[in-house]
């Protein structure tokens, strides 16, 4: 099969799969742990799949600022938008050991990455992965642990069939249809239920060629185009025109204090954000077995200690910390990495306990 990430649009090759079980089985045979969405505790999370039967068929989500609910609706397997788990959990985990000593002797740290196939990755998360590639691999000191984990990934993307209430990937130019950065892309179709599959890499093509499938016909392609077009009509949007300069000009705006009066500085937005990458380093000693280890774990520009310098935080107010976060995402990130630090996934809006909506705050900063 020719690998063509734009198959539906340009008439490239695509196959129709009636069932995802052979795909899951073939990946497991190739030594991958297959990780995909499952419904757990009222939320869609990523977890290892035993088979395609573990996928959350017939569930849809409702997302709004500070609000998330799952409902039984329809027959789709991927009928929901971004969940709190982003791909960064697998490339840049919440905690990772940097080195370990026992009795003063360095010990081998367990392997950092096994082969993981991620099933159901959204276009916004592929864009976030590209952002993180620049952050971790693009500078003079590439992060080799990130590289190992990144290279161990096999990515099966899915076109979002229904935008979440907080999504704005269409404004950021990152979705809803995956166009690059995947091994296989699926578009879920109904009437009858099936998946249009396109390869985005040689190994993706090799995998698809090994699965029971039939060539996609005109009706399958038309249905896939419809899914992508419908999902692009999302409720939230951001006007990027002049946003970078505006955030610099408005750095003394009273609006920062007003936002801070609602912000709890809880850091939830940075934990769920697929591009946030800040860490702190901690040392620990286990007196029972005599080991000492140094680990890095996720940190956030919303914590007071994050900007501590010379015994005092540089950003002591909530206003300063929110301004830092928003300005970094839409302004200084561009200076640093040549791209925005936001991909429009909407997670920070959904999971903010105060319901603070960055699309609204950016609009108010006009
Ligand atoms: S914006 Fe919301 S999620 Fe982020 S720190 Fe403030 S209260 Fe927490
Ligand atoms: S800033 Fe918010 S909407 Fe943008 S990528 Fe991060 S979590 Fe998603």
């Amino acid at each position: 099969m020719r690998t063509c990430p734009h198959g539906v649009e340009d008439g490239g090759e695509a196959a129709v799969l009636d069932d995802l079980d052979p795909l899951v089985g073939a990946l497991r045979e190739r030594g991958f742990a297959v990780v995909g969405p499952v419904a757990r505790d009222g939320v869609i999370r990523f977890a290892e799949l035993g088979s395609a039967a573990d996928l959350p068929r017939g569930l849809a989500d409702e997302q709004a600022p500070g609000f998330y609910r799952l409902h039984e609706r329809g027959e789709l397997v991927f009928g929901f938008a971004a969940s709190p788990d982003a791909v960064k959990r697998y490339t840049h985990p919440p905690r990772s050991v940097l080195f370990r000593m026992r009795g003063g002797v360095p010990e081998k740290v367990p392997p950092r990455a096994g082969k993981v196939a991620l099933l159901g990755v959204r276009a916004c998360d592929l864009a976030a992965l590209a952002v993180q590639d620049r952050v971790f691999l693009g500078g003079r000191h590439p992060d080799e642990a990130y590289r190992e984990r990144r290279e161990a990934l096999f990515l099966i993307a899915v076109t979002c069939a229904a935008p979440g209430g907080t999504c704005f990937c269409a404004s950021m130019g990152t979705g809803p249809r995956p166009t690059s950065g995947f091994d296989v892309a699926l578009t879920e179709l109904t009437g009858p239920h099936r998946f249009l599959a396109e390869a985005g890499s040689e190994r993706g093509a090799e995998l698809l060629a090994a699965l029971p499938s039939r060539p996609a016909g005109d009706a399958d392609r038309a249905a896939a185009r419809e899914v992508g077009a419908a999902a692009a009509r999302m409720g939230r949007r951001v006007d990027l025109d002049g946003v970078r300069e505006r955030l610099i000009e408005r750095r003394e705006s009273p609006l920062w204090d007003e936002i801070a009066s609602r912000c709890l500085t809880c850091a939830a937005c940075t934990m769920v954000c697929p591009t946030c990458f800040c860490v702190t380093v901690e040392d620990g000693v286990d007196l029972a077995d005599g080991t000492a280890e140094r680990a890095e774990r996720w940190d956030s520009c919303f914590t007071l200690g994050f900007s501590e310098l010379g015994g005092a935080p540089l950003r002591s107010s909530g206003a300063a910390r929110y301004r830092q976060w928003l300005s970094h995402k839409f302004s200084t990130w561009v200076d640093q990495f040549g791209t925005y630090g936001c991909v429009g996934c909407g997670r920070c809006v959904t999971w903010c306990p105060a319901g603070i909506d960055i699309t609204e705050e950016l609009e108010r900063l006009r």
Side-chain angles (χ1 to χ4, degrees):
M1 173 181 277
R2 181 167 68 92
T3 62
C4 177
H6 299 282
V8 171
E9 265 79 25
D10 73 2
E13 282 183 54
V16 173
L17 312 177
D18 289 321
D19 182 5
L20 293 183
D21 230 17
L23 181 141
V24 173
L27 285 164
R28 287 165 65 99
E29 276 167 22
R30 285 161 175 73
F32 288 96
V34 183
V35 169
V38 298
R40 196 163 280 175
D41 301 326
V43 179
I44 301 290
R45 304 297 307 258
F46 270 135
E48 185 164 354
L49 304 175
S51 74
D54 295 335
L55 293 165
R57 188 160 187 181
L59 283 181
D61 58 11
E62 185 184 354
Q63 298 195 38
F67 183 88
Y68 181 100
R69 290 285 184 282
L70 285 180
H71 302 288
E72 288 184 12
R73 191 167 66 222
E75 57 169 329
L76 296 182
V77 170
F78 301 105
F80 42 83
S83 65
D85 286 340
V87 173
K88 82 171 178 185
R89 186 165 285 278
Y90 297 90
T91 51
H92 175 52
R95 185 176 188 278
S96 73
V97 176
L98 300 173
F99 68 80
R100 187 175 292 143
M101 311 271 284
R102 187 189 296 268
V105 181
E107 229 183 32
K108 196 167 166 40
V109 175
R112 288 189 279 223
K115 287 166 65 176
V116 175
L118 280 175
L119 171 58
V121 178
R122 306 309 171 111
C124 60
D125 273 337
L126 292 174
L129 209 45
V131 171
Q132 290 225 317
D133 286 350
R134 287 193 191 202
V135 171
F136 287 110
L137 303 177
R140 278 184 296 155
H141 305 288
D143 183 326
E144 292 306 324
Y146 177 90
R147 192 196 303 280
E148 273 179 40
R149 295 187 193 104
R150 179 75 172 89
E151 289 176 353
L153 286 185
F154 187 101
L155 297 166
I156 303 135
V158 173
T159 300
C160 272
T166 55
C167 297
F168 53 100
C169 67
S171 295
M172 302 306 297
T174 58
R177 187 164 186 279
T179 55
S180 63
F182 55 80
D183 293 295
V184 171
L186 303 173
T187 304
E188 189 171 14
L189 308 174
T190 52
H193 186 247
R194 65 209 188 279
F195 299 89
L196 186 135
E198 300 162 81
S201 68
E202 291 299 332
R203 61 184 188 160
E206 180 271 321
L207 180 80
L208 286 181
L211 302 179
S213 69
R214 59 180 183 281
D218 290 345
D220 302 309
R221 292 170 191 282
R225 277 195 296 271
E226 236 170 73
V227 170
R233 291 192 281 273
M234 44 193 66
R236 275 179 166 66
R237 62 181 295 278
V238 161
D239 183 359
L240 294 174
D241 192 26
V243 67
R244 178 172 161 268
E245 296 72 25
R246 195 159 67 241
L247 282 162
I248 296 167
E249 284 160 15
R250 304 295 301 273
R251 61 178 171 265
E252 301 302 335
S253 167
L255 199 62
W256 300 116
D257 282 321
E258 192 285 316
I259 301 170
S261 71
R262 291 176 281 134
C263 174
L264 309 170
T265 62
C266 66
C269 47
T270 51
M271 297 295 110
V272 293
C273 178
T275 63
C276 278
F277 57 84
C278 291
V279 291
T280 189
V281 171
E282 58 188 15
D283 293 334
V285 177
D286 187 333
L287 295 177
D289 70 0
T291 57
E293 67 178 26
R294 173 162 291 181
E296 64 173 27
R297 82 172 155 72
W298 290 354
D299 201 352
S300 166
C301 52
F302 278 97
T303 65
L304 195 56
F306 188 75
S307 67
E308 192 172 298
L309 200 64
L314 289 177
R315 293 188 283 268
S316 56
S317 70
R321 280 175 263 161
Y322 190 88
R323 179 179 62 185
Q324 158 65 23
W325 186 65
L326 193 65
S327 301
H328 194 205
K329 290 286 175 200
F330 285 90
S331 184
T332 48
W333 201 299
V334 179
D335 303 330
Q336 256 182 304
F337 303 113
T339 176
Y340 292 109
C342 174
V343 295
C345 70
R347 287 183 174 96
C348 60
V349 184
T350 300
W351 295 99
C352 172
I356 295 174
D357 178 344
I358 57 168
T359 67
E360 278 179 15
E361 305 310 342
L362 283 171
E363 196 51 39
R364 293 205 303 151
L365 278 160
R366 286 195 157 277

